[in-house]
Amino acid sequence: MADTVDMRKVLEFFAGELAQIRTGRANPALIDDVKVEVYGTPTPLKQVAQVTVPDATSILIAPWDKANLAPIEEAIQKAGLGVNPLNDGTAIRLQLPPMTEERRSELTKVVGEKLEAARVALRNIRHEAIAAAEKEDLPEDALKGRKDRITEDTKRYDDELEQMAEQKKQEIMTV
């Protein structure tokens, strides 16, 4: 049904949101949203450079065209990642500082906020699906069965969201 497809999309979106939250390790997903002004067009960083993780605390960005080093560096600074890019003339290195306990607890709160936003989206989908089912001319038993199935699906996806959030919180708090 369309409602379970929409619920799956909420799950996928939430997974993408969690990937962008920094844990103790370097992850290329941290710079997924960075857009670089290249040839007058904002372009995703991954389309203008190779992004690798040489070790647990750094990200290496090697542009395909060396003329794009300065725009990439500028875009990273504007992105507000809390990291200063180091330009060596051929590539840019992002050295991620170790996270403090305070920063780790802030990030777990961010995970909680994103979890709540995903739950609200799930509840909205549930509400819309139930409203759509009520508009159909179904017998009372079939309507009750459909509502129960929608509620069960919502609960299952909510449990998956909770599991993903808990796993991310554990990753963040692990030193």
Side-chain angles (χ1 to χ4, degrees), residues 92-110:
I92 294 175
R93 182 177 298 274
L94 302 178
Q95 197 65 39
L96 303 174
M99 290 197 309
T100 63
E101 191 65 33
E102 181 181 323
R103 180 67 179 145
R104 289 178 191 277
S105 64
E106 285 174 20
L107 288 176
T108 58
K109 289 177 187 174
V110 170

Side-chain angles (χ1 to χ4, degrees), residues 10 114-126 158 161:
V10 169
K114 290 185 183 293
L115 173 62
E116 189 54 38
R119 284 180 164 162
V120 167
L122 271 181
R123 286 193 296 265
N124 288 340
I125 292 167
R126 176 183 168 269
D158 186 53
L161 288 173

Side-chain angles (χ1 to χ4, degrees), residues 12-79:
E12 291 167 5
F13 179 78
F14 184 63
E17 289 286 300
L18 290 182
Q20 293 177 1
I21 296 175
R22 183 177 164 212
T23 58
R25 299 183 48 82
N27 185 344
L30 293 172
I31 56 173
D32 276 352
D33 287 344
V34 176
K35 300 268 193 260
V36 181
E37 190 73 29
V38 179
Y39 312 117
T41 306
T43 309
L45 180 59
K46 287 187 172 185
Q47 291 182 9
V48 297
Q50 178 183 9
V51 179
T52 57
V53 180
D55 58 63
T57 61
S58 64
I59 298 174
L60 186 65
I61 303 163
W64 312 124
D65 181 1
K66 301 298 181 221
N68 292 330
L69 273 171
I72 290 172
E73 187 174 9
E74 184 179 324
I76 291 169
Q77 288 171 339
K78 286 182 181 176

